[in-house]
Each structure stands twice: as structure tokens, then as C-alpha cells.
Amino acid sequence: HLSDLQETYKDKVTVIAVATQDQRGSTLEAVEAMVKEKGPAMGYTVAWDDAEKTRAAWLAAAGVRQVPCAFVVDGDGKIVFIHHPLFIDFPLGRLVAGKWDPVKGPEEMQAGFKRAQELIQMDRSMALSAFPAFEKDYPELAWTEAVRSRTGSGLQAVKLRMLLLAGREDDKASTYSLG
């Protein structure tokens, strides 16, 4: 997911994962081995926090106790969003587009998740009619892992199934992959 975000936003965003020693056996050597094993598929930067200074400066300072945790920092160096990494697609997309409001943004994101849940529960023909508006209003949520984790199903797979069940095995259906 982080590699996908780095690829999507290339020169506009820098994705950095910070690892530190923990009770589960994360060591510098283990992190280096993981990065080497993943090779070019790991398209983002990984940093090692040897003395847990980063943890203190970011997580503790923000009152965050749960990891993984992602911080979205704008071009002025201000933290504009803190959440699990699965949920950063929406603020990143809006931030890059110049549309992210750190106060209203989380509410807009929750409204998008609620709308995604409604789409999944709709009658097939109603959902197919509603998808274009959802994709227009919430393009950052339309295919994200966050929607999958919040709704139990990815919208891309749901839309593909709906198109196929509706007998639409045309180009529209073929543009959606399950991968």
C-alpha cells in the first residue's frame, strides 16, 4: 500500500516508514533483511529509529499509542492527519489536489465510508447507478484498502461483480480487475 502511494504521488509526496526495536523482535538487522528481500517492490523509504527519538517526537507527542500509525505532513511541515496507514489515501489525495481541510477532512472521509457501505448494501441496479457519483465525489476512496477494511469488501470487486451480474461483460466490466 505504501509503495502504491509513493508511486501514485511520485514527486509530490515522500513516504517514509520508521521502524524501531520492539517486543516482537524487530531489529535493525531484521528490517534491513526485509528491505533487501522486498527489493525494488518496496518503493518507499525506510528509516531506523535506534534510540526511539522518532517515537517520542511523533507518537508520544501526539498521544498515539497504537502502531502502525501514519502522519500526513503538508508542504509547510504541519501535521494535517494522524491515523492508521490504511486510511491515508483520502487525505493524501485531497492534500495533493489542494482540497484537504484538516478540520473538515476527517468528517468528509467518514461520510465517504458511510456512502461506500450504503453502496455495498444497495440493490444491484441502484448501486450501479450510484457508483459514478461516488467515484466523482470520493475518488480517493473508490478503490482503497481502507474501504475494504471498513466495509468487508473492496468497491472495485463489488462493482465488477455487479457489472457482470447485470450482464455487462463489455469494456466497462473489463476495466475492473480484482487484483
Side-chain angles (χ1 to χ4, degrees), residues 24-66:
R24 296 180 305 216
S26 181
T27 63
L28 176 58
E29 293 77 22
V31 171
E32 287 174 335
M34 178 197 65
V35 170
K36 184 177 179 179
E37 178 184 314
K38 292 192 182 251
M42 182 173 272
Y44 57 94
T45 301
V46 178
W48 178 253
D49 181 14
D50 190 33
E52 295 196 13
K53 291 178 184 172
T54 304
R55 178 184 291 269
W58 290 76
L59 295 174
V64 174
R65 295 183 183 155
Q66 181 179 340

Side-chain angles (χ1 to χ4, degrees), residues 86-100:
L86 286 179
F87 296 93
I88 63 174
D89 298 64
F90 188 84
L92 272 181
R94 299 264 166 127
L95 184 64
V96 168
K99 299 178 184 177
W100 178 250

Side-chain angles (χ1 to χ4, degrees), residues 1 83-91 94 108-121 131 134-135 137-159 161-162:
H1 179 239
H83 212 303
H84 189 284
L86 286 179
F87 296 93
I88 63 174
D89 298 64
F90 188 84
R94 299 264 166 127
E108 293 171 352
M109 187 171 77
Q110 289 302 320
F113 286 132
K114 181 179 179 189
R115 186 68 181 140
Q117 184 67 45
E118 291 167 355
L119 279 171
I120 289 172
Q121 295 176 0
F131 262 110
F134 178 81
E135 292 169 322
D137 293 341
Y138 301 102
E140 308 87 358
L141 294 180
W143 313 120
T144 67
E145 288 297 316
V147 169
R148 183 183 319 268
S149 72
R150 293 289 294 250
T151 63
S153 183
L155 288 180
Q156 187 173 21
V158 169
K159 186 170 183 182
R161 281 195 302 273
M162 286 183 191

